[in-house]
């Protein structure tokens, strides 16, 4: 018998009868045509519950078992062993689900699960859902069963690829959802299993999924292929902080929390091993809704909606993430919280904002078209997030200019890198050091950086910053956006201490021209210098100074099975970067360029990139005064044409297979490069040796995917 956990009352289970049901929708075949269009339609009502259920009007003609046994040859999976008990949640008693179980074929696991069910209930059929719900909470509180086996996060899909299968050939096939035209994740060129590609969840009686929220507060959609029912509990996203407060105060002991406040509970909940009865939430007025999912039904969870549940017997489900325009405010909150906890992000949030905003800015659609309220909400969310980001970046660059400590300015032709201090993703700009191993976002005080490699502080700035700022100014003139730009600003600037009021007192003006005056290795010109015919190299032309002179390094370790990873929360930067030479380089998914996206956004898949680690050349130039005038568009276009004549653009592709587990505990520097490559300089051999020494002497590193943190 299990030890009783006093904090959870489990003697009286009448609370299970008081849980309200989430909304259930039964679309027609016409309404079922496009998943995201339909979800936008039901969003105003369904999002209030955190979860909803959608009954499919289409039926799969090829069963999941046939797909997994015939269409996918040699399909096998390894289970995880789940302790079937409650925990005290203190330093002496916590629960983990990460012990590996046995390896099964689909049919072998089904036989095992059905045998367990029949042995317990002397029945091979289903039992009432309400009965099994009470049975689950009795068993987890004081039953005799110690463990169950659950196959979660299994790579693959049980949707049939047969053209005659109605559901498999529809857009509700979860292999297609994240790449639909209205999905933000279509911009990612590298697939991420479980996020952009579905994963399978094969369960047995009382196998469970613990209380959790989706990565980056994304949407999720889960389809039940076959088997017994599954009970879900969902919390509306609007009640997420209240949920975390109850968990912190009533479930977790303080000695297991990494930080104070709700972020401490959020950090532990990210482990996805916390299970407790919803009664404790009801007792503290946290809204909880229930869904009983049967085969042929979808369950959708909305951004920031915590959820948990368990299986009533053998079943097979499949899930994937997606995002629409209304997700960006939630993504901003998640990114800020990851930075608080020094956790590596999974998605390049900043890059997604910029790409989606510029697509919206360049759209040929008339503003007077009949958009639905939900579509308009999504567009406003994109524009507002983008304006917040651009306004902060401009303020941060102005503050950097005022400090006088920036020693160089070059074109940022990387894709997205991750700050080595706070783990924020940086797409528009970042500061790098002399050894190029310590990228830092503009949210940190450059005066306090204690780098071991010297005093070089080079600003890497996106070359189309003028276009981006012009789009932000355009959006800001819209009444609805201008009303929202004063809210949520801290989400985009954390952990920066820069404040707009203080900067304005010091002479700052939003979108003003920013002048840098320094001695730099890279020469850049002002608009006046270019017009006067000075024979100097332009800002754009000097992009070659950070291009790679090394071959692609090949390292298949990054595409092997997932491994555990934890990020250091050391407070001293010198400790974080002291062993930089031993750090591994990791990569984000690439994000598609706007022009390519327009041509390819109807595609269900995408090509991944063969990324290059880029380093500046050793060319040195004389002192220059740099002028970035965000209003001078002719100058920008002229520089673009100049760059085209000086740069060689290459494209590489590789099959992506992205792993979702975490790397083992070691500090890492994350880098993403985009596709733009420049001609190698004459000193290529010397640079090769230098970079090979920094990266352990690998000859080629061809990144085929992303290891999920």
């Amino acid at each position: 018998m299990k030890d009783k956990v006093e904090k959870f009352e489990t003697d009286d289970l009448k609370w299970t009868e008081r849980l309200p049901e989430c909304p259930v929708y039964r679309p027609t075949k016409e309404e079922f045509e496009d998943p995201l269009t339909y979800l936008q339609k039901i969003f105003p009502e369904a999002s209030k519950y955190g979860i909803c259920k959608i009954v499919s009007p289409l039926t799969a003609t090829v069963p999941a078992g046939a797909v997994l046994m015939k269409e996918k040859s040699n399909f096998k999976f390894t289970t995880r062993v789940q302790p079937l008990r409650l925990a005290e949640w203190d330093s002496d008693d916590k629960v983990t689900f990460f012990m590996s179980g046995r390896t099964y074929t689909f049919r072998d696991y089904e036989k095992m699960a059905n045998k367990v069910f029949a042995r317990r209930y002397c029945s091979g059929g289903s039992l009432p859902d309400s009965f099994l719900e009470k049975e689950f909470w009795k068993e987890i509180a004081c039953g005799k069963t110690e463990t169950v086996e659950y196959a979660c996060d299994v790579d693959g899909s049980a949707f049939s690829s047969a053209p005659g299968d109605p559901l498999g050939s529809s857009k509700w096939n979860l292999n297609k959802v994240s790449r639909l035209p209205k999905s933000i994740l279509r911009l990612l060129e590298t697939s991420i299993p479980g996020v952009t590609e579905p994963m399978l969840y094969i369960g047995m009686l009382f196998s469970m999924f613990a209380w959790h929220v989706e990565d980056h507060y994304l949407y999720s959609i889960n389809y039940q292929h076959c088997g017994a029912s599954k009970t879900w509990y969902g919390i509306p996203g609007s009640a997420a902080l209240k949920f975390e407060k109850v968990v912190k105060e009533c479930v977790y002991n303080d000695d297991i929390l990494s930080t104070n406040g709700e972020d401490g509970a959020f950090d532990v909940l990210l482990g996805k091993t916390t299970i407790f009865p919803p009664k404790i939430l009801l007792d503290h007025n946290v809204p909880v809704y229930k869904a009983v999912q049967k085969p042929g039904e979808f369950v959708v969870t909305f951004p920031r909606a915590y959820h948990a549940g368990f299986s009533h017997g053998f079943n097979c489900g499949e899930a994937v993430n997606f995002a629409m325009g209304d997700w960006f405010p939630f993504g901003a909150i998640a990114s800020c919280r990851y930075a608080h906890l020094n956790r590596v992000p999974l998605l390049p949030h900043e890059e997604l904002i910029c790409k989606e905003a510029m697509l919206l800015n360049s759209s040929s659609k008339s503003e007077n078209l009949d958009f639905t309220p939900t579509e308009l909400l999504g567009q406003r969310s994109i524009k507002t997030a983008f304006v917040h980001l651009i306004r902060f970046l401009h303020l941060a660059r102005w503050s950097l200019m005022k400090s006088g400590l920036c020693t160089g300015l070059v074109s940022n032709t990387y894709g997205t890198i991750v700050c080595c201090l706070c783990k924020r993703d940086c797409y528009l700009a970042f500061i790098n050091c002399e050894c190029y191993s310590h990228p830092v976002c503009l949210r940190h005080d450059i005066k306090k950086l204690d780098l071991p490699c010297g005093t070089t502080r080079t600003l890497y700035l996106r070359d189309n910053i003028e276009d981006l700022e012009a789009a932000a100014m355009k959006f800001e003139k819209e009444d609805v956006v201008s009303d929202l730009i004063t809210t949520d600003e801290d989400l985009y600037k954390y952990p920066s201490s820069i404040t707009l009021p203080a900067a304005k007192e010091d002479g700052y003006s939003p979108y003003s021209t920013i002048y840098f005056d320094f001695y730099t290795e890279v020469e850049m010109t002002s608009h006046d210098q270019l017009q006067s015919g000075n024979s100097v190299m332009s800002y754009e032309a000097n992009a070659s100074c950070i291009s790679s002179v090394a071959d692609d390094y090949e390292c298949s370790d990054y595409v092997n099975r997932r491994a555990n990873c934890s990020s250091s929360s050391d407070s001293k930067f010198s400790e974080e970067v002291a062993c930089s030479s031993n750090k591994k380089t990791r990569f984000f998914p690439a994000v598609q360029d706007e022009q390519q996206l327009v041509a390819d956004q109807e595609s269900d898949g995408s090509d991944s990139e063969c990324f290059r680690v880029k380093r500046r050349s050793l060319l040195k130039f004389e002192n220059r005064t740099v002028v970035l005038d965000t209003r001078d568009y002719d100058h920008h276009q002229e520089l673009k044409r100049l760059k085209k004549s000086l740069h060689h653009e290459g494209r590489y592709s590789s099959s992506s297979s992205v792993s979702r587990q975490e790397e083992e505990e070691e500090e890492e520097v994350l880098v993403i490069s985009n596709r733009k490559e420049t001609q190698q300089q004459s000193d290529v051999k010397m640079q090769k040796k230098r970079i090979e020494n920094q990266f352990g002497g690998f000859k080629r590193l061809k990144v085929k995917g992303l290891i999920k943190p």
Side-chain angles (χ1 to χ4, degrees), residues 42-115:
I42 67 175
F43 174 86
E45 178 190 34
S47 60
K48 297 175 183 177
Y49 297 84
I51 62 172
C52 73
K53 188 167 72 170
I54 300 173
V55 181
S56 172
L58 301 179
T59 303
T61 56
V62 183
V67 173
L68 296 176
M69 297 299 292
K70 295 179 181 179
E71 292 187 18
K72 303 181 185 304
S73 60
N74 300 319
F75 175 75
K76 292 183 180 181
F77 53 87
T78 301
T79 60
R80 290 181 185 173
V81 177
Q82 295 182 322
L84 200 60
R85 67 179 182 88
L86 298 172
E88 292 287 353
W89 286 104
D90 56 24
S91 57
D92 297 323
D93 184 25
K94 293 179 286 187
V95 173
T96 62
F97 292 166
F98 298 113
M99 185 169 67
S100 293
R102 288 171 287 184
T103 299
Y104 294 90
T105 66
F106 185 76
R107 291 304 180 202
D108 287 342
Y109 182 87
E110 181 182 15
K111 291 176 184 177
M112 179 277 295
N114 289 337
K115 185 176 180 180

Side-chain angles (χ1 to χ4, degrees), residues 421-441:
L421 289 181
C422 66
K423 306 299 187 290
R424 281 273 201 174
D425 57 295
C426 309
Y427 172 67
L428 294 174
F430 65 95
I431 300 166
N432 216 338
C433 62
E434 188 171 355
C435 72
Y436 317 109
S437 298
H438 311 125
V440 178
C441 71

Side-chain angles (χ1 to χ4, degrees), residues 315-487:
N315 56 28
C316 176
E318 184 171 334
V320 76
N321 290 117
F322 65 94
M324 295 185 284
D326 57 87
W327 162 78
F328 277 111
F330 297 98
I333 296 170
S335 292
C336 186
R337 299 191 83 178
Y338 291 156
H340 270 282
L341 298 169
N342 205 235
R343 280 183 173 264
V344 177
L346 172 64
L347 297 176
H349 182 255
E350 188 174 297
E351 188 171 357
L352 290 173
I353 291 175
C354 294
K355 297 290 187 179
E356 194 66 54
M358 294 308 286
L359 280 172
L360 198 58
N361 180 58
S362 62
S363 174
S364 59
K365 292 181 180 179
S366 169
E367 294 182 359
N368 298 321
L369 288 179
D370 187 20
F371 291 112
T372 66
T374 305
E375 288 174 325
L376 291 174
L377 172 64
Q379 292 180 10
R380 288 196 296 268
S381 297
I382 295 168
K383 293 175 181 178
T384 304
F386 180 66
V387 169
H388 275 139
L389 180 62
I390 295 298
R391 283 172 65 95
F392 165 74
L393 177 69
H394 188 272
L395 175 59
R397 281 166 39 228
W398 178 87
S399 179
L400 182 63
M401 178 270 295
K402 290 285 287 186
S403 73
L405 297 176
C406 182
T407 59
L409 177 61
V410 296
S411 175
N412 176 17
T413 57
Y414 290 84
T416 290
I417 63 96
V418 169
C419 174
C420 67
L421 289 181
C422 66
K423 306 299 187 290
R424 281 273 201 174
D425 57 295
C426 309
Y427 172 67
L428 294 174
F430 65 95
I431 300 166
N432 216 338
C433 62
E434 188 171 355
C435 72
Y436 317 109
S437 298
H438 311 125
V440 178
C441 71
L442 271 59
R443 297 171 177 88
H444 301 282
D445 189 348
I446 193 171
K447 297 176 183 177
K448 298 179 180 178
L449 293 183
D450 183 20
L451 303 180
C453 54
T455 59
T456 297
R457 305 287 184 269
T458 303
L459 173 63
Y460 288 70
L461 183 64
R462 187 62 49 187
D463 55 10
N464 65 336
I465 189 65
E466 297 160 344
D467 293 340
L468 294 164
E469 290 183 344
M473 286 189 284
K474 173 185 169 183
F475 293 154
E476 200 168 330
K477 292 177 182 177
E478 300 178 13
D479 292 338
V480 178
V481 175
S482 62
D483 293 340
L484 296 173
I485 60 173
T486 57
T487 62

Side-chain angles (χ1 to χ4, degrees), residues 160-176:
S160 175
S161 58
D165 188 290
L167 189 60
S169 58
S170 76
K171 293 180 181 178
W172 288 77
N173 180 331
L174 298 193
N175 289 287
K176 304 176 183 179

Side-chain angles (χ1 to χ4, degrees), residues 580-706:
S580 61
S581 61
N582 295 325
K583 296 181 181 182
K584 294 180 181 178
T585 303
R586 291 183 48 202
F587 298 79
F588 261 129
V591 177
Q592 297 185 48
D593 290 335
E594 291 92 341
Q595 293 92 340
Q596 182 190 354
L597 178 66
V598 171
D600 295 343
Q601 70 178 16
E602 295 295 333
S603 173
D604 293 327
S606 62
D607 296 330
S608 63
E609 292 292 304
C610 172
F611 302 98
R612 288 183 179 270
V613 178
K614 296 187 177 181
R615 291 292 180 268
R616 292 192 295 171
S617 75
L618 298 180
L619 295 177
K620 294 188 178 181
F621 301 89
E622 59 186 2
N623 181 31
R624 291 292 173 190
T625 299
V626 178
V627 181
L628 299 181
D629 189 343
T630 62
R631 294 162 293 187
D632 195 346
Y633 309 123
D634 293 337
H635 173 219
H636 182 69
Q637 295 303 319
E638 185 173 356
L639 292 179
K640 276 190 172 180
R641 289 192 295 271
L642 179 58
K643 182 176 182 180
K644 280 187 177 179
S645 67
L646 293 174
H647 284 243
H648 172 68
E649 182 170 332
R651 178 169 186 138
Y652 304 83
S653 64
S654 59
S655 60
S656 345
S657 173
V658 180
S659 178
R660 198 174 179 179
Q661 285 182 342
E662 304 171 339
E663 281 227 41
E664 295 186 353
E665 298 181 326
E666 58 185 40
E667 278 297 298
E668 300 180 44
V669 176
L670 286 81
V671 180
I672 301 177
S673 69
N674 64 2
R675 291 179 226 129
K676 296 181 181 178
E677 300 296 337
T678 58
Q679 303 256 337
Q680 295 184 356
Q681 305 300 325
S682 59
D683 54 358
V684 60
K685 291 184 179 180
M686 182 171 62
Q687 281 285 64
K688 275 189 178 183
K689 287 185 178 180
R690 178 184 176 189
I691 295 176
E692 287 174 6
N693 289 336
Q694 289 178 339
F695 288 87
F698 292 122
K699 291 301 180 186
R700 294 181 63 80
L701 171 62
K702 189 172 292 183
V703 177
K704 299 180 181 177
L706 167 71

Side-chain angles (χ1 to χ4, degrees), residues 261-310:
E262 282 68 49
D263 277 343
F266 175 68
D267 192 25
V268 182
L269 285 163
L270 288 174
K272 299 183 181 181
T273 61
T274 302
I275 194 72
F276 58 84
K279 181 180 185 299
I280 198 169
L281 301 172
L282 296 174
D283 292 344
H284 290 83
N285 299 314
V286 177
V288 186
Y289 298 96
K290 179 166 62 177
V292 179
Q293 182 188 23
K294 301 180 185 301
E297 297 177 347
F298 293 89
V299 167
V300 174
T301 69
F302 291 85
R304 211 181 182 182
Y306 278 95
H307 49 282
F310 63 92

